[in-house]
Amino acid sequence: MSTASQTRYAFSGADEVDDQLDALETMLDPGTLQCLDRLDLPAGARCWEVGAGGGSIARHLLELAGPGGRVVATDLDTSRIAAPGARILRHDVRSDPAPDGGPFDVIHARWVLMHLPERREVLAGLVDALAPGGWLVIEESTVEPDGLPVLTSSAPADAALFRRFSGAVVQILADAGADPRWGARGLYAAMARLRLEDVHSVHRTDSWTGGGPGSRLHDIHTRQLRDPLRARGFTDGDLAHVRKLAADPGFSALWYPLVSTCGRKALSA
Ligand SMILES: C[S@@+](CC[C@H](N)C(=O)[O-])C[C@H]1O[C@@H](n2cnc3c(N)ncnc32)[C@H](O)[C@@H]1O
């Protein structure tokens, strides 16, 4: 279905993508489920999961939609979407028309639009694909360029290294066209400008401790983004030290925030 050729998505093609998606689901699904479970979806809801990744949210939408409901799960790379019962489609949300099966009662995308330079046009296209009264749920992160705040570390140099490392990860994403702060700065206003009603935003930030579930993504980034990190002055020794911190129960920091913003298309639209 996709007509687009290239994506600038910084993580595509990397060997560690399976691990990365699993780490995201572990850390982010509790917040996403809380947010989706609050929506008053009609029985038999038509749902579209955009950039479905590993498919955990498509599976949850299938449960929410119940018998007679339909879920379309789309991604540029559909090979990892595990969602039996959903219709799985290769689809570039930047350029492909909305998939058949709409208009949709709920459209959800997590950590997808912030990566796309065309995010505002994509957002408008998603609003067009909503049924009257349908919900748009867009979840992003929001990270400052100086990295993730450290909570405990055994040496100031460790805290400084981790902040420099997490700041560099964010900068690498920004260089590839992402807006790492869009979740808190711009998304809410963009949804309101598109005349969605009841726009509402919830920010959640977990802490993580070395060796715990939140540490995995940092370990993965040291390998997945090794080349661009080296280009920013990180040595293999620095990256090995970040992995050591990620395994150290004495080290803790804040994780990437999850900013969930939802809004509803007017019934008369
Ligand atoms: C950071 S992952 C998030 C995956 C999933 N939404 C989650 O939160 O677990 C971003 C996902 O968006 C997909 N993606 C990137 N660019 C896309 C595009 N232009 N159209 C559709 N999907 C895209 C990637 O393939 C990847 O699965």
Side-chain angles (χ1 to χ4, degrees):
M1 176 162 198
S2 176
T3 52
S5 44
Q6 299 286 317
T7 175
R8 300 181 64 209
Y9 176 58
F11 295 121
S12 54
D15 293 342
E16 294 83 2
V17 169
D18 281 338
D19 260 6
Q20 181 202 18
L21 291 175
D22 193 54
L24 293 189
E25 291 182 354
T26 304
M27 289 302 286
L28 301 179
D29 280 9
T32 298
L33 267 48
Q34 237 176 41
C35 169
L36 292 176
D37 290 353
R38 278 207 298 261
L39 306 177
D40 52 339
L41 295 185
R46 297 154 294 178
C47 314
W48 179 12
E49 170 66 355
V50 179
S56 63
I57 301 307
R59 294 196 296 279
H60 190 68
L61 287 172
L62 279 163
E63 274 175 36
L64 284 183
R70 282 175 302 188
V71 175
V72 186
T74 62
D75 203 295
L76 275 182
D77 175 359
T78 56
S79 64
R80 298 178 174 87
I81 303 176
R87 197 155 67 91
I88 295 172
L89 286 180
R90 183 174 193 282
H91 178 275
D92 187 335
V93 72
R94 296 168 304 174
S95 51
D96 289 332
D100 294 342
F104 295 95
D105 299 300
V106 62
I107 301 176
H108 171 260
R110 185 174 72 192
W111 288 22
V112 180
L113 272 62
M114 68 181 183
H115 290 288
L116 308 176
E118 310 83 350
R119 63 192 69 81
R120 287 176 191 278
E121 294 77 14
V122 170
L123 192 72
L126 297 180
V127 172
D128 287 344
L130 284 174
W135 286 100
L136 182 61
V137 182
I138 302 295
E139 299 191 292
E140 307 288 12
S141 197
T142 184
V143 196
E144 297 301 318
D146 59 349
L148 297 171
V150 172
L151 302 174
T152 57
S153 72
S154 47
D158 290 347
L161 174 67
F162 181 77
R163 284 211 79 147
R164 192 163 67 83
F165 163 77
S166 52
V169 168
V170 167
Q171 198 51 53
I172 289 165
L173 298 184
D175 288 352
D179 180 349
R181 294 194 284 188
W182 193 53
R185 302 192 191 194
L187 172 61
Y188 184 104
M191 288 176 66
R193 264 199 303 276
L194 290 166
R195 299 184 189 284
L196 290 173
E197 297 182 343
D198 303 327
V199 177
H200 180 69
S201 195
V202 177
H203 297 219
R204 302 177 188 82
T205 309
D206 273 342
S207 60
W208 63 276
T209 303
S215 64
R216 277 176 61 210
L217 191 64
H218 307 299
D219 186 297
I220 293 163
H221 283 161
T222 64
R223 291 176 275 115
Q224 193 174 36
L225 300 175
R226 177 175 174 263
D227 291 344
L229 284 165
R230 282 179 56 87
R232 289 177 173 271
F234 288 85
T235 65
D236 282 338
D238 291 332
L239 298 180
H241 197 73
V242 170
R243 285 193 286 276
K244 210 169 136 196
L245 296 176
D248 173 2
F251 189 84
S252 55
L254 293 182
W255 212 68
Y256 297 100
L258 176 67
V259 182
S260 310
T261 304
C262 57
R264 175 167 228 186
K265 192 164 184 170
L267 277 172
S268 58

